[in-house]
Amino acid sequence: MRLQKYLADAGVASRRKAEELINSGQVTINGRIATIGEKYADGDVVLVDGKPVEATEKLVYIILNKPAGVISSAKDQFNRQTVLDIVGNIGIRLYPVGRLDYHSTGLVLLTNDGDLAQKITHPRHGMEKSYIARVKQPIKPEDIAVFRQGMTIDGYKTRPAGIEILDKWGKQAKITLFEGRNRQIRKMFTSLENEVVSLKRVSMGKITLGDLKSGAWRHLTPAEIALLRMGGGEI
C-alpha cells in the first residue's frame, strides 16, 4: 500500500494532504524521512510530526451545516472556531471534505475515509456541488451564458457551471459546479463585476442539507454513504 493511502486510511488526512505532509518532511517511516512513492508494509513504524500513526478501523461520515464565521479546516492558526470544534471529540480523527470559506455557509462533510474524500474533491471525478448565491446586482442573461460556457479566472478556464435564477429580481441563483477551486463562485461573479452577498452550499452529489439547522450535524446514513461512493442516484 502506498504511504499516502495508508495515511489517508488511518484518518490522518486526505490523500492529497498526505502527499503534502510527505513532501514537507513531516512523515517518517522506520526512523527516516519518507518520500513520495514509498510503500507501507505491516510492521512499519510511521510517524507524523513525531507522533505514531495507527490504522483506523471504523470509518465515520458526518454532515454538518457550517455557520458563517467558522473555519472549515481541522485547525486554525488564529484559534478561530473550526467545524471540528462544533462536532467535538468523538474519539476518531476526522478531517473536512470540500472546504467552504470563512463567510460561506452550508454543507461540509467530515470523514476519516481518504478514498472517498479524494473521490469527492478531485476534479477528475466531477462530483457536482450546488450552492445558493445571493448577489448585489441583477444577474444578466449574458452572465448566465458565461457561467454555462466557462470563464477564465486566476489564469485557468472553469468548467461549464449550472446556473438557475431563483427570484424575480435576478439576485439569487442556484449554482452547480463540477469542480471545487478556492472561492470559485465569488471570483466568477467578481469577474462579471458583481459581488456575492451570501453563499450557501446545499448539496454534494445527491447528499443534501435538508432541514439540518445551522451549526447542527449528524452521521450520514448507509444509503447516503453508498450514494457518495457511487456518485449518483436519489434517496
Side-chain angles (χ1 to χ4, degrees):
M1 178 189 303
R2 290 191 179 275
L3 186 55
Q4 57 264 41
K5 184 179 187 315
Y6 169 75
L7 292 174
D9 290 350
V12 172
S14 67
R15 195 178 301 188
R16 187 184 303 175
K17 180 63 177 178
E19 291 176 354
E20 293 176 6
L21 291 173
I22 294 170
N23 280 328
S24 66
Q26 294 172 259
V27 181
T28 64
I29 182 167
N30 299 326
R32 57 179 175 73
I33 296 177
T35 58
I36 290 291
E38 286 199 61
K39 293 187 176 181
Y40 169 84
D42 288 341
D44 285 343
V45 177
V46 179
L47 307 180
V48 176
D49 292 331
K51 298 178 181 179
V53 175
E54 296 180 0
T56 302
E57 296 182 358
K58 181 181 180 182
L59 294 177
V60 174
Y61 310 86
I62 286 173
I63 180 174
L64 181 146
N65 188 347
K66 184 187 96 65
V70 173
I71 304 297
S72 61
S73 60
K75 57 184 177 180
D76 179 60
Q77 60 178 327
F78 302 111
N79 293 318
R80 293 171 293 184
Q81 186 181 30
T82 71
V83 288
L84 292 184
D85 292 329
I86 293 177
V87 174
N89 185 3
I90 63 171
I92 294 176
R93 187 183 222 174
L94 302 175
Y95 46 89
V97 181
R99 295 183 177 183
L100 290 171
D101 67 58
Y102 185 74
H103 298 290
S104 297
T105 66
L107 193 159
V108 173
L109 296 178
L110 301 168
T111 187
N112 57 346
D113 186 337
D115 286 338
L116 184 60
Q118 186 183 47
K119 182 172 184 178
I120 292 170
T121 58
H122 201 288
R124 77 167 176 266
H125 297 295
M127 180 172 285
E128 66 181 55
K129 304 170 185 69
S130 294
Y131 305 75
I132 303 299
R134 188 162 60 90
V135 295
K136 203 166 187 178
Q137 305 294 333
I139 300 169
K140 296 176 282 189
E142 53 265 38
D143 296 339
I144 294 174
V146 172
F147 261 84
R148 291 174 176 169
Q149 294 167 5
M151 68 182 77
T152 300
I153 56 173
D154 291 344
Y156 70 87
K157 186 172 182 179
T158 65
R159 292 185 180 184
I163 180 169
E164 175 188 355
I165 305 301
L166 299 178
D167 68 342
K168 64 181 180 181
W169 300 280
K171 293 184 178 183
Q172 184 167 287
K174 181 179 181 181
I175 311 294
T176 301
L177 301 181
F178 299 90
E179 56 189 334
R181 299 182 181 271
N182 182 42
R183 298 174 62 85
Q184 180 172 338
I185 291 176
R186 294 183 186 275
K187 291 177 180 179
M188 291 167 82
F189 276 111
T190 296
S191 74
L192 297 172
E193 299 183 346
N194 208 337
E195 179 184 347
V196 173
V197 177
S198 66
L199 185 65
K200 180 178 183 179
R201 183 159 59 207
V202 294
S203 69
M204 276 188 175
K206 299 302 179 183
I207 307 304
T208 65
L209 271 181
D211 58 2
L212 192 64
K213 294 182 179 180
S214 178
W217 62 275
R218 64 173 176 82
H219 291 274
L220 290 181
T221 66
E224 288 172 324
I225 296 167
L227 281 178
L228 279 177
R229 287 176 173 159
M230 291 186 298
E234 294 279 0
I235 293 181

